[in-house]
Amino acid sequence: MKKRSWLSKACLAVVLVLTAGMTPAPASAAVGDPATFQGIGTTSYGGKVYFENKVTAGNKKLVSPGESLSSIQAKLDGGGIIQFAAGTYNLGTMKINKSNTRIEVNQGAVFNMSSNILFDIRPATVDAPRIQNIELSSIGPGRFTINTKGNKGGDKRPVRLTNVKNFAVSGIHINGNYEGQPFVVLVPYQDGSPGRLLVNGEQIYNPIFGLVPTQGVVQDVSATKIHGGYATVQLFAGDNVLLRNIDGENGVTVRLEPGSGKDTDNTSMSGPNLGAIRNVELVNVHNKNGFAAVYLKAHAKVNRDITLTNITATDSAFAIHSDVSEFHADDKVTVTYNGQTYDVHRDRGRFENVKLKGNIKLTKQSPNKLAWFAISDLFYIDYNKREGNGDYSDYAVSICGTKRITSPVVPVLMLSHEYRSDTTFSVERGTYTLDYSNANIQSVGFSHSLATNGGVLYREDARNKNNQPLTDAQIKDY
């Protein structure tokens, strides 16, 4: 008995010595306690720092439900730490344009949107310098709620970020209503120009489109009732961004799509590099009953150095859908700006150095058909699983009205890669591939007769209404 007592005392002494040499846990470890919350702290992934908390001092300015928007805006205009208490808020746009601002939100807070944007994170004017060190986070451990309160196809963007450096958005759940916009959106700065300026009689790309969200993290964000053409989070532009633990129901969860490809798309008219998507990590992205967990479409930008790790979907059409721009060779659009007419040429963009890692998985769980797909995906549905005569109109329409309904198709669809044997790709055609050599691609609960490598389809795998392969001309007709 004495020996056991001596041993216990010795172990306790060792523990005390070791504990004394440890670094104390930061105050931010007190997640869930509004009195001690200090933000999410330094956020790293893969040995790289994406966000540093630089707002550490000053009194917290408290916001309560029922407080007027003008009163809240005055607090935001001063920067520092602004803390929202639990309760229901019915608010229009809150402008966050002061550097060194942290917005702490009690997990019991609910925001009902009454404008098209709720948190607008950007400089106050076009000429103002870039804002830095911005955080919007739930005090946690749960997520605070945003109800979009919009109409299908309407304009609701709960969080918009542009021309900001060192930022964090964390701990939000969004209840949407199939609005025609992404819910958390990262965009290049714009001044209304068509991506061009006339300087000394010469057209140049407008450098303002290079002012993109830089060095930041969006994590622990989820959304429901997502429109088929949009997402929980969409990068129209971004550099050195971490997207982690992002969930979505319907639509797409994360969309990497710079611009829209329309003739009114100023971003696509600013050249291949300004406003592109570069140096992005996606980790733990999931979609349910929708189109895809991750969708890529390059339009006119050269996007590069993107890694997708653990991308999964349940009863959706795809885990990853890799598409090409719809621009044709030497595409041209004529625009007028400040009394000058511009003939703007837009080349096809592409994605370069995209790597898939971890589990890339699509699971069929429900006996019902819940997955959404577009007309361009029709000929990739397994022939024996098609409906009616194989026409797009034979399929039920998605609730948002822009997609059709089927069963899970394949984990990875590469419309961007024409033939699986291709090792070189055309810049003019905008073709590109995804490197999945370090990924575990899985089709769970279903299979596709033409898929390879656990569930990958290429453009050549399309089969027409008569189950015949497309001709080479048809494969390249896009």
Side-chain angles (χ1 to χ4, degrees), residues 48-55 96-102 121-123 128-136 160-169 186-187 189 210-217 237-242:
K48 181 176 181 178
V49 175
Y50 285 91
F51 173 72
E52 294 181 83
N53 178 16
K54 296 187 177 182
V55 183
I96 297 90
N97 48 42
K98 178 82 169 178
S99 289
N100 303 308
T101 298
R102 182 168 76 238
I121 303 172
R122 60 173 179 161
R130 166 177 278 168
I131 59 172
Q132 302 187 58
N133 312 325
I134 305 294
E135 180 176 346
L136 167 62
R160 177 173 70 177
L161 303 101
T162 184
N163 199 15
V164 55
K165 182 177 181 180
N166 192 44
F167 64 90
V169 175
L186 283 66
V187 295
Y189 213 42
L211 299 176
V212 305
T214 302
Q215 188 185 331
V217 56
D239 186 21
N240 285 297
V241 177
L242 170 65

Side-chain angles (χ1 to χ4, degrees), residues 237-354:
D239 186 21
N240 285 297
V241 177
L242 170 65
L243 305 179
R244 181 168 59 182
N245 302 333
I246 314 294
D247 292 283
E249 185 171 348
N250 306 137
V252 174
T253 302
V254 172
R255 221 174 161 91
L256 303 179
E257 184 176 5
S260 66
K262 299 178 180 178
D263 285 352
T264 55
D265 175 15
N266 293 338
T267 299
S268 288
M269 295 185 230
S270 62
N273 298 308
L274 295 176
I277 299 171
R278 305 278 172 88
N279 306 304
V280 176
E281 291 272 358
L282 277 69
V283 185
N284 299 336
V285 178
H286 182 259
N287 185 264
K288 176 183 178 182
N289 302 349
F291 184 31
V294 177
Y295 178 81
L296 303 93
K297 192 159 190 170
H299 291 303
K301 300 297 177 185
V302 177
N303 312 281
R304 62 170 63 101
D305 301 327
I306 298 164
T307 303
L308 314 178
T309 304
N310 296 338
I311 311 299
T312 61
T314 303
D315 291 322
S316 301
F318 313 98
I320 299 173
H321 188 300
S322 177
D323 211 342
V324 294
S325 166
E326 66 270 12
F327 294 145
H328 54 79
D330 197 28
D331 176 271
K332 184 178 75 173
V333 61
T334 301
V335 296
T336 300
Y337 177 67
N338 282 350
Q340 300 291 332
T341 299
Y342 298 81
D343 287 333
V344 183
H345 295 266
R346 302 174 295 186
D347 294 327
R348 286 180 182 271
R350 57 191 281 113
F351 283 86
E352 298 178 347
N353 191 31
V354 180

